[in-house]
Amino acid sequence: MESANEKMGNSLSSELSNTHSTLITYDSCAHHTESGWEFPVSGHLLGKKISRMRERFLNRLLLRFAQVDLTDQDSPEFALVQRRIQPFIRKAKKKVPIGVRLGGSYHKIASPTRRGGRFKTTVNLSSQAVSAFLEYDTHSQPYLPIRGVADLEQTVTIPSRCYLVDPVGISVVTDIDDTIKDSQVLDRRQLLRNSFAKPYEPVKGMKEVFEAWQQKAVKFHYVSASPWQIYNELHPFLDHTGFPGGSFHLRQFTLKGQVIRKLIRRRYQKKRNQIESLLQRFPRRQFVLIGDSGEHDSDIYGSLARQYGEQVRKIWIRSLAGNPLDLTRSLEAFRDVPKTTWRIFHEASELSL
């Protein structure tokens, strides 16, 4: 059944519908196969109903733990918080049949939505079918538009793009928090404030470097241990700031149980798995891995460089004042990795491919 409403366009809307269910798909990347292209598709289906228990929990968390002032309901900060918590507090739609329109073709997903309203599939298309519906973003990157279709009477669709990534070339895998977006992950209270109550701010100079690299046909993959619920805010921020389009790889998360650490803890094994999947899907591409010294990026990247040394072209770790990558940490993280492969940087201008 077709959606009653659709949110289409070049920029993702951060607003979820207050009167309809919302079907979200995420920007991804397609790889070449013997018969054409394979497109991974994933997303979530959220209902219009709100879990008041989750809403109270998040508001108390932000008020008490993060010290966010929520007393003035007319303030911009209050409005921002209420908008950003929506994906966390909306009740998911489970066991709903889902289809997807990819370019000019429709494909039924074999399994209905799962826990958290999640759905996932892959679609294979011939090169001829792809070329007939190919579009280009503002940075001239080719993609096919993706739009989910839910078997519900009233559903708003937030579409996405699947970028075509050639078998050979350079890919940049970049962390998000404190690498390209100022988040202050090491300070949990400030992290929550920046995530829910403050306008996002880019790390100075990173956008300009990425734009210059994009002119050299570099592809981008945004990988983070942050939960998928921030995608609706993160995607427009990167888009409006001027970062090149690319695939997004966020962690799966369901807010069940009122445990603070569940919201702010970082799942780094899953982050490693996401990057490893990209390396395996594109075995002939060269990868530049960019992260920061805040927590475990150096350990993840070092481990991947030891296993996929021929593919890992370079590793860049942004040094954070609160937790710089000292000699002991760096030698352990990058043991058996050539010194010419990894570098620590302080300013974006130091980066190179």
Side-chain angles (χ1 to χ4, degrees):
M1 183 176 297
E2 292 290 349
S3 302
N5 288 307
E6 298 171 7
K7 289 185 178 180
M8 303 293 286
N10 292 329
S11 288
L12 177 72
S13 170
S14 60
E15 298 286 350
L16 300 185
S17 172
N18 292 321
T19 58
H20 298 73
S21 297
T22 304
L23 179 59
I24 308 167
T25 53
Y26 305 115
D27 282 10
S28 56
C29 60
H31 66 269
H32 200 267
T33 66
E34 291 184 0
S35 58
W37 292 85
E38 182 172 292
F39 294 82
V41 179
S42 64
H44 286 81
L45 177 60
L46 302 178
K48 63 181 179 180
K49 293 183 179 180
I50 290 174
S51 168
R52 297 301 177 186
M53 182 181 69
R54 295 179 202 166
E55 184 180 37
R56 289 192 297 269
F57 165 63
L58 282 175
N59 282 327
R60 284 200 303 267
L61 174 67
L62 293 168
L63 178 64
R64 298 175 183 176
F65 183 75
Q67 299 175 348
V68 175
D69 183 8
L70 297 176
T71 58
D72 183 5
Q73 296 189 8
D74 295 323
S75 69
E77 187 175 76
F78 180 86
L80 187 59
V81 167
Q82 299 313 306
R83 190 182 77 205
R84 287 183 177 172
I85 69 173
Q86 288 301 308
F88 292 92
I89 66 177
R90 292 295 181 94
K91 292 184 177 180
K93 290 284 190 179
K94 296 187 293 184
K95 299 181 180 180
V96 176
I98 296 289
V100 60
R101 291 201 178 278
L102 185 60
S105 59
Y106 173 81
H107 304 269
K108 189 73 174 180
I109 297 178
S111 300
T113 53
R114 297 177 286 174
R115 177 187 176 188
R118 186 187 181 199
F119 59 91
K120 182 178 181 181
T121 192
T122 58
V123 176
N124 288 278
L125 296 176
S126 68
S127 297
Q128 183 178 3
V130 170
S131 61
F133 294 95
L134 206 57
E135 298 184 19
Y136 295 85
D137 68 6
T138 55
H139 291 88
S140 300
Q141 295 190 99
Y143 71 91
L144 279 191
I146 301 173
R147 180 169 61 83
V149 179
D151 192 10
L152 294 174
E153 287 291 337
Q154 295 179 319
T155 306
V156 167
T157 298
I158 298 179
S160 61
R161 297 167 173 174
C162 192
Y163 288 92
L164 273 64
V165 177
D166 290 328
V168 177
I170 298 177
S171 280
V172 167
V173 172
T174 180
D175 177 52
I176 296 173
D177 293 309
D178 289 330
T179 300
I180 61 174
K181 179 175 78 71
D182 185 15
S183 302
Q184 301 185 50
V185 168
L186 294 174
D187 184 336
R188 296 308 198 202
R189 286 182 172 82
Q190 192 60 45
L191 171 62
L192 283 173
R193 285 194 288 268
N194 289 335
S195 297
F196 289 97
K198 301 294 182 184
Y200 291 164
E201 296 291 339
V203 171
K204 183 179 178 181
M206 294 300 290
K207 182 263 293 188
E208 289 77 10
V209 170
F210 281 21
E211 280 188 318
W213 288 353
Q214 193 278 326
Q215 295 300 316
K216 300 178 180 179
V218 170
K219 299 297 183 181
F220 293 86
H221 311 277
Y222 299 97
V223 182
S224 176
S226 294
W228 66 265
Q229 286 91 339
I230 71 167
Y231 178 82
N232 275 29
E233 296 287 332
L234 187 60
H235 186 288
F237 162 72
L238 295 180
D239 187 29
H240 296 158
T241 304
F243 282 94
S247 59
F248 280 75
H249 310 266
L250 307 177
R251 74 176 168 104
Q252 292 302 312
F253 173 84
T254 303
L255 186 62
K256 295 187 70 175
Q258 299 180 4
V259 182
I260 292 176
R261 70 175 182 273
K262 188 175 182 181
L263 179 59
I264 61 179
R265 70 185 178 186
R266 325 293 282 178
R267 296 195 172 217
Y268 291 99
Q269 183 58 43
K270 291 190 175 181
K271 182 175 180 180
R272 186 193 188 281
N273 293 345
Q274 289 171 330
I275 301 172
E276 185 172 33
S277 176
L278 289 169
L279 290 162
Q280 292 173 348
R281 289 178 62 202
F282 302 99
R284 296 166 58 195
R285 291 186 70 85
Q286 293 286 292
F287 285 79
V288 176
L289 311 181
I290 306 177
D292 61 77
S293 64
E295 295 186 300
H296 298 290
D297 285 346
S298 56
D299 299 304
I300 293 172
Y301 295 172
S303 172
L304 290 168
R306 285 188 289 274
Q307 187 172 351
Y308 299 92
E310 293 185 358
Q311 287 178 262
V312 177
R313 178 188 181 99
K314 193 166 291 186
I315 297 171
W316 289 99
I317 300 295
R318 180 174 180 247
S319 182
L320 302 181
N323 191 29
L325 191 64
D326 59 26
L327 181 61
T328 301
R329 282 182 64 201
S330 61
L331 290 178
E332 173 60 25
F334 298 116
R335 67 183 185 279
D336 301 325
V337 178
K339 185 63 176 71
T340 54
T341 299
W342 59 274
R343 291 285 187 273
I344 299 171
F345 74 102
H346 298 82
E347 304 292 336
S349 58
E350 300 172 48
L351 294 171
S352 68
L353 292 172

